[in-house]
Amino acid sequence: MAIVEKVIDAPPQQVFDVLADGWTYSDWVVGTAHVRDVDDAWPRVGSQLHHKAGPWPFSLQDASTVLVSEPPHRLVLKAGLWPAGEAIVAFTLQPVDGGATRVRLGEDFASGPLRWVRNKANDLVLHLRNRETLDRLADIATRQKGSP
């Protein structure tokens, strides 16, 4: 499992609020090109976010489904990108001193061809992708700092 951590200068609820706004996913999830629809119940367990991933004209349509939702501390998704496969993506948010949040992002391929082509190069790319994802999440969460 690829795991990346980052301390974000915003409280857990503020960071979770970004996770809970499915319409922002294409702004901060690297590789998500467009959010097509978000279930009204997002991010409750079983709700889905419908997205396109990858560069146009080769982008693929799929959906991500909430497996665990424990606001403002944990969100686990099954992210689809068929025919490449599915990944389990887990966000864990822990408060740290000064009103900040330690965000831990873990991702592992759960099914499909990508599960069988694990190697150090793929792990490095996934690590770099997820680090950039957390950087983008931090930008959005801290931009909202101080807003009601």
Side-chain angles (χ1 to χ4, degrees):
M1 174 177 277
I3 298 172
V4 179
E5 288 187 2
K6 181 175 185 71
V7 175
I8 297 176
D9 188 23
Q13 185 62 58
Q14 193 164 313
V15 176
F16 196 88
D17 287 348
V18 178
L19 299 177
D21 182 356
W23 291 105
T24 68
Y25 270 57
S26 60
D27 296 337
W28 59 270
V29 176
V30 175
T32 301
H34 175 69
V35 174
R36 298 178 292 117
D37 192 24
V38 179
D39 289 356
D40 290 339
W42 183 268
R44 287 201 314 248
V45 172
S47 61
Q48 291 190 321
L49 178 149
H50 307 270
H51 51 76
K52 287 173 108 176
W56 182 90
F58 305 107
S59 57
L60 302 171
Q61 293 187 16
D62 213 324
S64 293
T65 304
V66 177
L67 300 177
V68 177
S69 183
E70 299 169 352
H73 302 292
R74 191 162 176 244
L75 184 66
V76 180
L77 308 174
K78 178 174 62 174
L81 189 57
W82 287 100
E86 293 177 319
I88 302 299
V89 181
F91 295 91
T92 305
L93 288 65
Q94 298 176 311
V96 295
D97 291 339
T101 304
R102 180 180 321 280
V103 179
R104 183 176 196 218
L105 167 56
E107 182 171 8
D108 201 8
F109 294 111
S111 60
L114 289 176
R115 185 173 181 204
W116 306 113
V117 293
R118 299 275 322 249
N119 60 44
K120 290 185 185 221
N122 288 347
D123 287 347
L124 176 62
V125 169
L126 188 59
H127 177 83
L128 294 173
R129 173 189 172 268
N130 287 344
R131 189 168 65 192
E132 175 64 19
T133 290
L134 288 185
D135 288 346
R136 293 178 185 189
L137 176 65
D139 288 344
I140 293 170
T142 57
R143 190 173 7 163
Q144 295 175 354
K145 190 171 187 169
S147 54

